Amino acid sequence: MLKLAPSILSADFACLLSDIQKIERGGADYIHVDVMDGHFVPNISFGAPVMKALNDRTKLPYDVHLMIENPDQYLDSFVTPQTAFITVHREACVHLHRTIQNIHAKGIKAGVAINPATPVSSLECILEDVDLVLVMSVNPGFGGQKFIPSALEKVKTLAEIKRAKGLSFAIEIDGGITLDNAKTVMDAGVEIAV
């Protein structure tokens, strides 16, 4: 069964709580929190204070996606009782294994994301240590972009590695997901769709 993690990046920020309540009533599984710093990606979104303002106002767990440089410096800010995952980008982490360990040390499930131009092979050394792999199906930084079809091959490769090695990480996809392609990505091996 495909789990859904609507991104609050698509919400009306003037009505953020109302939009969160709508996705909760609609059956979402997570709230996807896209954090952008204007350096790693060419846009700025919001930080931990906005996310923390929603604490205790929703029962949905947070799926925090850090599209930022130096994520280790900010991890503590995103740890709340509702934080289920903190995902960092392979491309932003000089010492990825240490970052994953830091997330786990905080009692949070750790994820790693890859951009459209980053090969799955760059994750071989970390797949046994992560709880989630996020495949970007758009170039990160802006909502509303068109789905990049080559992301499906990455998902299929990850699903095969997961099966062959008996690993347990969840496969998530983010970018350009619509009602028209949700079944296609699920059939490829996606378990969580943003």
Side-chain angles (χ1 to χ4, degrees):
M1 178 67 96
L2 185 66
K3 293 184 178 182
L4 299 178
S7 172
I8 61 173
L9 188 61
S10 298
D12 177 347
F13 288 172
C15 304
L16 185 55
L17 180 58
S18 174
D19 282 2
I20 295 295
Q21 291 167 339
K22 286 178 188 173
I23 65 170
E24 188 173 40
R25 285 191 307 271
D29 298 286
Y30 300 98
I31 297 172
H32 189 78
V33 181
D34 283 311
V35 180
M36 297 183 266
D37 65 359
H39 297 282
F40 179 67
V41 295
N43 199 7
I44 297 172
S45 61
F46 43 80
V50 171
M51 184 187 88
K52 288 179 178 178
L54 299 171
N55 282 351
D56 301 322
R57 302 218 177 184
T58 178
K59 294 180 177 105
L60 292 177
Y62 299 142
D63 173 22
V64 180
H65 180 191
L66 298 181
M67 291 176 274
I68 63 175
E69 292 180 356
N70 304 312
D72 288 277
Q73 185 176 341
Y74 303 99
L75 292 177
D76 286 335
S77 300
F78 293 95
V79 174
T80 75
Q82 286 180 241
T83 305
F85 295 101
I86 294 178
T87 298
V88 296
H89 271 261
R90 171 71 190 100
E91 304 86 357
C93 294
V94 176
H95 304 289
L96 180 59
H97 189 265
R98 182 178 8 194
T99 302
I100 296 302
Q101 287 178 320
N102 287 342
I103 296 168
H104 282 146
K106 296 172 188 325
I108 306 295
K109 291 180 181 177
V112 62
I114 54 173
N115 287 336
T118 303
V120 169
S121 61
S122 71
L123 300 178
E124 286 179 22
C125 63
I126 201 73
L127 290 176
E128 293 181 7
D129 299 308
V130 296
D131 304 291
L132 180 141
V133 176
L134 171 56
V135 175
M136 292 300 302
S137 45
V138 298
N139 287 297
F142 296 95
Q145 296 179 66
K146 188 177 177 185
F147 181 82
I148 298 172
S150 61
L152 287 176
E153 289 308 312
K154 289 182 182 185
V155 168
K156 290 174 184 175
T157 299
L158 284 164
E160 180 53 37
I161 292 168
K162 180 178 173 177
R163 207 171 14 258
K165 294 188 175 187
L167 300 175
S168 61
F169 59 83
I171 300 172
E172 183 173 44
I173 198 161
D174 183 358
I177 304 303
T178 66
L179 292 174
D180 294 330
N181 63 13
K183 181 163 181 358
T184 301
V185 298
M186 184 176 72
D187 290 346
V190 169
E191 296 155 286
I192 304 170
V194 178

